[in-house]
Amino acid sequence: MKLSINLFLLLGVFCFIAATVYGFLTRFQELVGFPGLLGVGAMSFMLAVYLWLVDRNTGGVLPEDKLDGEIVESAGEYGHFSPWSWWPLLLGVGSALAFLSLATDWWILMLAAPVALMGLIGLIFEHSRGEHAH
């Protein structure tokens, strides 16, 4: 994780330097590249701070930081997944329709919203009733 922190810090510094040079070369008249580079630099610093806080709270050396670390060391429980669930498919269809509406026309979003909402609600409440209820 320490390598990731250092890489994001380096990327943030590079983007701020590049944004400054880019701003002076364009006399701050071009308002896409300069704010874009500043945004990427700010987000890189945010990721570096987040990873630093996570590294500080874990308290030890993670398997990713050890040169002789094994993949098995970082394995654990990845979560609970629903067997034979069709709700993610419905949610994916609704999301695909919403993305299609960005490319074509806004009225398709009116078709996508109910499909995606139905898939999301079904996925959330899947374990509340039926065979896999808790």
Side-chain angles (χ1 to χ4, degrees), residues 25-132:
L25 288 177
T26 60
R27 295 186 185 101
F28 297 98
Q29 297 295 316
E30 200 273 316
L31 296 176
V32 174
F34 176 69
L37 283 170
L38 286 179
V40 170
M43 286 186 267
S44 296
F45 282 130
M46 285 177 13
L47 281 170
V49 168
Y50 170 75
L51 290 174
W52 175 72
L53 289 172
V54 168
D55 184 50
R56 190 179 68 171
N57 288 336
T58 55
V61 177
L62 296 177
E64 297 90 31
D65 294 330
K66 295 191 289 189
L67 293 177
D68 60 345
E70 295 288 331
I71 294 174
V72 151
E73 293 179 46
S74 63
E77 186 176 334
Y78 288 110
H80 178 74
F81 300 101
S82 306
W84 306 101
S85 177
W86 288 93
W87 295 113
L89 180 65
L90 192 62
L91 185 61
V93 168
S95 299
L97 282 173
F99 186 74
L100 179 68
S101 74
L102 294 175
T104 55
D105 204 2
W106 65 271
W107 62 269
I108 299 176
L109 192 61
M110 301 302 170
L111 300 173
V115 173
L117 188 62
M118 190 169 55
L120 183 64
I121 290 172
L123 190 63
I124 289 171
F125 292 111
E126 182 171 21
H127 293 287
S128 298
R129 39 189 309 230
E131 182 182 345
H132 304 290

